[in-house]
Amino acid sequence: MTERGYDHLLKGLPFSHDRRALPNIKNLGLNLLHDDLALPAAVLRQSAIANNRKWMRQFLQHAGVNIAPHGKTSLSPELFQMQMQDGAWGMTAATAHHVRLYWEFGIKRVLMANQLVGQANVGIVTSILNLDPEFEFYCLVDSPESVSDLAKNLKHTKLARPLHILIEIGAEGTRSGARDLPAIMATAKSCQENSDVVQLCGLEIFEGVFAPGPNSYPSVNALQNLLIESAQTLEEGMCFRGDEIILSAGGSVFFDMSADVIGGQELSKPILPVIRSGCYITHDSQHYEQAMDFILERSPDLRPFGRLKPALEVWAHIQSMPEPGLVIASLGKRDISFDIRPPVPLLHYRKSQFDAVRPFPENAQVKSLYDQHIVIELERGHGLQIGDLVGFGLSHPCTTFDKWRTLYVVNDEYEVIDYVETFF
């Protein structure tokens, strides 16, 4: 394979260009609306990304918290670099492999919002820590057994410094995490018993296990209250090591509520509050867009900042209209997320006839999504034609990013001005 040069082939680029053209892409004169890209193609609108970066900087300053964006959203070094330039405290990872990628990307502080299990995974992290004295790493534990298992694997390594850990607190019936204060205290005791290899630095929750909206507020509040009660109890017992206590919370749905809680606490040691929203930089057109409505509803003091805007779109051609009121476009499960909601057709363009993109006809509904086809139902008389371009919005950017090795950055005229790569 390598001898034949398959590595330079790239989805989306015309035959005249390949991956080797990427460093010069802004000078190639490519425009999505001119049909220069081989659709389907995923694009990021530069103006929306700039808006979202500014919005989050304002929010962090207003709330008095730090951010370690969850990098599994994009696994893109270019987007990571933007987030670090904006003052991110670090980046959040999900797996040991992610940690290795981040380190290769030049990230010097990583919070792994997951438990580090297995000798090979522990070996990845400890090897990096031994190679790079400047690298700072944190991971989670949620029981005495998880602490013991981690300590056992650490003792097989030659790590020169104790591993920094946070106790994960979870909600009943959801993901991992200690469920109550006695379990949290028992986990902290196990950390003390293994203090030769682990150092307890704080506590963590993920309230994103709950659905967006007011019906979830009591559950979110209960999890946040347990976090604060646990921090106070463990601090009274002098369980935390280091000069400050990390309290980390906040996915991309309730981060405003968590920032209010972790940013407003005082203990005998300084608190380092860290939220972890990863989807903010690209946002989406449905799931997190709805969450944004709820954020501004419950936190009206944020309204002067504007709102996050969808930056990620996937474009395709209309390729068939086999029945009245039925349109088939050249996009499917291989190209766009469908795990939370189906894609939504938002934009419409006809080359050489439209001056700019137009809204897609109203009342259109995605009927089904196949591997490479999307079926849209809409009213007769819609005026669409075979060959027209359709821009789709989505829910959950994470599971669109993982389908693309390269995404093209476009300006508001859809000229290709840059690119980002992913490493899933």
Side-chain angles (χ1 to χ4, degrees), residues 87-360:
W89 174 80
M91 295 295 300
T92 297
T95 69
H97 175 63
H98 290 174
V99 175
R100 184 175 184 176
L101 281 175
Y102 293 13
W103 179 64
E104 295 283 359
F105 295 165
I107 304 301
K108 291 296 187 180
R109 182 184 287 128
V110 174
L111 166 57
M112 181 174 153
N114 205 348
Q115 298 183 45
L116 185 59
V117 182
Q119 187 172 332
N121 288 325
V122 172
I124 288 174
V125 171
T126 57
S127 295
I128 294 171
L129 288 167
N130 284 333
L131 283 170
D132 188 351
E134 296 181 0
F135 186 69
E136 194 174 333
F137 174 80
Y138 302 83
C139 68
L140 308 183
V141 293
D142 73 349
S143 66
E145 293 78 12
S146 66
V147 176
S148 298
D149 183 74
L150 178 59
K152 177 188 67 177
N153 284 316
L154 286 171
K155 288 172 183 177
H156 286 297
T157 70
K158 297 180 180 180
L159 185 61
R161 42 183 163 146
L163 194 74
H164 293 165
I165 58 176
L166 311 179
I167 294 177
E168 179 180 15
I169 302 172
E172 185 174 349
T174 62
R175 301 190 341 186
S176 51
R179 298 316 202 220
D180 52 37
L181 186 56
I184 294 163
M185 294 176 64
T187 306
K189 180 180 179 181
S190 183
C191 294
Q192 292 176 319
E193 293 170 349
N194 291 276
S195 59
D196 56 327
V197 289
V198 298
Q199 178 174 314
L200 181 58
C201 297
L203 304 172
E204 182 270 356
I205 61 170
F206 176 60
E207 73 286 4
V209 294
F210 304 115
N215 290 340
S216 294
Y217 294 170
S219 298
V220 174
N221 289 332
L223 189 59
Q224 293 166 338
N225 290 339
L226 180 56
L227 172 74
I228 299 308
E229 180 187 8
S230 302
Q232 294 168 342
T233 301
L234 296 187
E235 172 59 2
E236 290 172 1
M238 297 186 292
C239 296
F240 296 112
R241 300 294 178 259
D243 297 329
E244 56 191 3
I245 300 169
I246 297 174
L247 297 183
S248 181
S252 295
V253 174
F254 300 105
F255 61 81
D256 60 313
M257 294 175 65
S258 286
D260 285 343
V261 172
I262 64 176
Q265 300 299 319
E266 291 186 4
L267 297 174
S268 59
K269 288 184 179 180
I271 290 177
L272 178 67
V274 180
I275 63 170
R276 304 189 305 277
S277 172
C279 294
Y280 79 88
I281 194 165
T282 61
H283 201 48
D284 71 19
S285 300
Q286 298 185 88
H287 181 66
Y288 293 115
E289 180 70 355
Q290 181 187 47
M292 187 82 235
D293 291 336
F294 289 127
I295 288 172
L296 296 179
E297 178 182 284
R298 63 181 175 248
S299 303
D301 52 329
L302 301 179
R303 292 174 185 169
F305 301 160
R307 62 185 295 133
L308 299 173
K309 296 181 179 180
L312 178 55
E313 301 167 358
V314 183
W315 283 76
H317 291 108
I318 294 176
Q319 68 178 57
S320 177
M321 294 188 290
E323 305 167 21
L326 203 66
V327 169
I328 317 298
S330 58
L331 168 149
K333 294 178 180 179
R334 307 292 184 182
D335 310 300
I336 197 166
S337 55
F338 56 92
D339 53 322
I340 295 181
R341 300 181 191 176
V344 55
L346 295 177
L347 301 170
H348 173 219
Y349 186 79
R350 183 172 301 149
K351 183 182 176 183
S352 303
Q353 294 190 33
F354 292 179
D355 293 332
V357 296
R358 299 179 179 181
F360 198 79

Side-chain angles (χ1 to χ4, degrees), residues 385-402:
Q385 295 181 8
I386 290 176
D388 287 357
L389 279 64
V390 182
F392 290 85
L394 52 104
S395 285
H396 203 196
C398 307
T399 49
T400 293
F401 271 106
D402 66 10

